[in-house]
Amino acid sequence: MNILIGAAEVAPLAKVGGMADAVAALARQWSMMGHRVLVVLPKYRAVDVRAHDLCSTEHVVGVPVGWWTECARLWLGTLPQSTARVCLIENADYYDREGIYGNPEGYADNDRRFIFLSRALFEVASALGFSPDIIHAHDYHTALAMPLLKLVYRWQPRFYKTAGVLTIHNIAFQGLSEPARVLPLLGVPWEEFYPGSPWEYFGSVNMLKVGILYADKISTVSPSYAWEIRATALGEGLQGVLNFRGGDVVGILNGVDYTEWDPAHDRHIYVPYSAEFLAGKQLNKRRLLSEWAGMSELELHREVPLLGMVSRLTDQKGVDLLCHSLEGILAHFGVRFALLGSGANRYEDFFRYLASRYSRQVFVQFGYNEALAHKIIAAADYLLMPSRYEPCGLTQMYALRYGTIPIVRAVGGLRDTVRQYDPTTGEGWGFLFGDYTPEALWGAVEYALGFYGVEPHWERMRRNAMACDFSAQRSAEQYLQLFEWALERVRSERA
Ligand code: ADP
Ligand code: GLC
């Protein structure tokens, strides 16, 4: 199949969260299976084109915006460790800026930056002579490729048989915009904007809604989240739109790229290890605590559980629960806590406070640091992920492969990937809690700590965790099945 992927993030070129990893893992798998994959993303200032061998070309494409045309120069290369082609679109006005979305509120012209990206997908395909069977869009950033395919580009022979598939990584971000601003950019006449039309959403244009309505198939990143966004308030107002698409909406669990996340071959961690050499995990913990956290030999002598967290510090990740319970947990259980994260100032301030108040127990680093993320996940005994909602979550799946026991809220992809350890049968590999309350979190932590170093359970659950297989290959295959169904839908439309 020829698969054109349009995304705002693709690891390792541009990453804020898990979407970058998920998109890259799929592109790698599909190209390994022999499919032709073209990944298109913006050339943000932060993309290290030299390190990734991406070269500027003579191709300059015209991208229609409203009644005029804007330009983008194409940069080409391959996705590291794969044969998938990568095309960066360069447009200094839109993308030569700090970061990807512009923190914390986002750039005021994000609607326009991503309309440009969505439209550029088609122009890039034409310029490179790529005829996609599938256009795979991700989140609101490229969702408008779905209506563009059906309403504008379908009439070009190259896209006549192309099917559009939209994957929702996080429905909380929908791309709401002023109609007076974006309708002219999209060339959509005002007559199309009326209550109940695809373009109207409570007086705004909602890019994700339009994408959902025009995609041939819609997926989200775990089966539980697929249900939650249709049946609960986690749908953030789009429940009705999703239910309107009925059977076209599916949940496919993200997969892990185990070439990147494997404790036996991880270039970032101190000592490689495996289920047969769990002592190696212990060594990673010691080295992290002494080298990164600056603990003395004397302090390390005492065997204390280490809770780890690698996360964006946002409401989604349940940080407010921690604000209400973590200090008590530290004081009561005497555990150590290592955090790598970045996000809202108030949350960073909270962890700063904890690190100064409990300086021998709490170690935090803010900012983005790939190598430290691997080190913390390898070193920690438990991974804490008390998310308010979690479409999929990759960090807990990485933790499992590293024998790090997840303590998570039973929501979305966390519910689908973490199974409660059962001391009667010795099955399971983590600890879950349901209510979004400090008490429920406390209870789960207390219960989980009760198993720390207690055999046969401790080794058993860590081995169970390491044996979990959430490989990207399985998820890539499920997407291919969805693509077949999307193509069937296009064929039946044409018949
Ligand atoms: P989300 O996409 O909602 O942030 P996921 O668990 O799906 O959550 O993915 C998060 C990804 O981002 C993981 O690869 C995790 O290791 C990484 N990550 C999060 N924060 C940081 C950070 N501060 N430094 C390095 N990697 C981070
Ligand atoms: C989003 C979600 C996260 C998911 C990731 C990749 O960032 O918050 O749960 O794992 O996308 O799909």
Side-chain angles (χ1 to χ4, degrees), residues 308-331:
M309 198 165 162
V310 175
S311 183
R312 293 183 291 114
L313 301 177
T314 62
D315 293 341
Q316 174 190 344
K317 300 295 174 179
V319 188
D320 55 336
L321 266 193
L322 295 177
C323 293
H324 287 103
S325 54
L326 192 54
E327 181 160 10
I329 288 173
L330 291 164

Side-chain angles (χ1 to χ4, degrees), residues 136-466:
H136 191 189
H138 294 267
D139 274 357
Y140 91 80
H141 319 111
T142 47
L144 288 175
M146 304 291 100
L148 286 170
L149 173 62
K150 299 288 173 183
L151 303 175
V152 180
Y153 288 91
R154 168 58 33 85
W155 316 114
Q156 296 188 7
R158 183 182 302 283
F159 302 108
Y160 184 66
K161 293 181 177 159
T162 305
V165 174
L166 170 66
T167 293
I168 302 171
H169 295 262
N170 193 337
I171 207 162
F173 300 98
Q174 301 179 358
L176 291 180
S177 211
E178 282 283 312
R181 216 180 118 72
V182 295
L183 292 179
L185 295 176
L186 286 160
V188 173
W190 269 100
E191 299 88 85
E192 297 292 326
F193 188 80
Y194 54 88
S197 85
W199 294 98
E200 196 275 348
Y201 182 80
F202 297 107
S204 297
V205 172
N206 179 323
M207 301 197 206
L208 197 60
K209 171 186 164 176
V210 188
I212 291 169
L213 289 173
Y214 281 100
D216 287 296
K217 294 283 169 185
I218 302 104
S219 77
T220 185
V221 288
S222 70
S224 284
Y225 193 61
W227 176 83
E228 288 165 354
I229 58 178
R230 295 169 69 142
T232 77
L234 290 181
E236 298 286 343
L238 290 182
Q239 297 92 314
V241 177
L242 288 164
N243 283 323
F244 176 74
R245 293 303 312 265
D248 289 326
V249 183
V250 304
I252 299 179
L253 197 68
N254 282 332
V256 174
D257 184 346
Y258 287 123
T259 57
E260 270 297 305
W261 293 92
D262 171 11
H265 304 100
D266 187 331
R267 63 189 192 288
H268 298 299
I269 67 176
Y270 298 105
V271 182
Y273 65 95
S274 61
E276 284 62 53
F277 177 53
L278 274 170
K281 181 165 174 61
Q282 196 59 20
L283 294 173
N284 278 286
K285 181 175 165 185
R286 281 187 80 84
R287 294 272 302 269
L288 182 82
L289 288 174
S290 69
E291 293 177 28
W292 174 66
M295 298 197 85
S296 68
E297 275 303 310
L298 192 67
E299 286 172 302
L300 287 174
H301 197 64
R302 221 163 49 84
E303 211 22 87
V304 176
L306 175 65
L307 273 58
M309 198 165 162
V310 175
S311 183
R312 293 183 291 114
L313 301 177
T314 62
D315 293 341
Q316 174 190 344
K317 300 295 174 179
V319 188
D320 55 336
L321 266 193
L322 295 177
C323 293
H324 287 103
S325 54
L326 192 54
E327 181 160 10
I329 288 173
L330 291 164
H332 188 80
F333 299 106
V335 292
R336 293 177 179 139
F337 178 74
L339 168 92
L340 167 65
S342 64
N345 286 339
R346 64 182 187 288
Y347 292 143
E348 293 194 2
D349 288 344
F350 164 70
F351 289 112
R352 245 179 232 116
Y353 155 75
L354 278 188
S356 65
R357 173 86 171 72
Y358 298 86
S359 62
R360 307 321 301 152
Q361 269 173 274
V362 176
F363 312 98
V364 302
Q365 185 163 317
F366 301 114
Y368 185 86
N369 186 328
E370 188 73 31
L372 185 59
H374 285 244
K375 287 190 175 74
I376 291 181
I377 286 173
D381 297 301
Y382 299 93
L383 178 92
L384 212 48
M385 231 169 140
S387 305
R388 182 184 285 275
Y389 71 92
E390 197 59 75
C392 178
L394 292 169
T395 322
Q396 83 282 6
M397 294 198 259
Y398 301 153
L400 289 171
R401 185 43 64 109
Y402 286 69
T404 304
I405 301 302
I407 303 174
V408 304
R409 177 145 180 269
V411 68
L414 296 172
R415 184 209 291 273
D416 294 339
T417 54
V418 179
R419 180 151 163 216
Q420 176 80 14
Y421 180 72
D422 179 350
T424 323
T425 60
E427 287 167 4
W429 47 80
F431 297 92
L432 296 122
F433 64 99
D435 293 344
Y436 191 76
T437 60
E439 294 76 23
L441 169 64
W442 179 294
V445 170
E446 182 165 30
Y447 185 57
L449 288 174
F451 289 93
Y452 179 70
V454 176
E455 299 305 352
H457 305 295
W458 188 235
E459 177 158 344
R460 185 77 184 249
M461 75 176 77
R462 295 203 289 177
R463 281 175 178 274
N464 292 350
M466 295 177 90

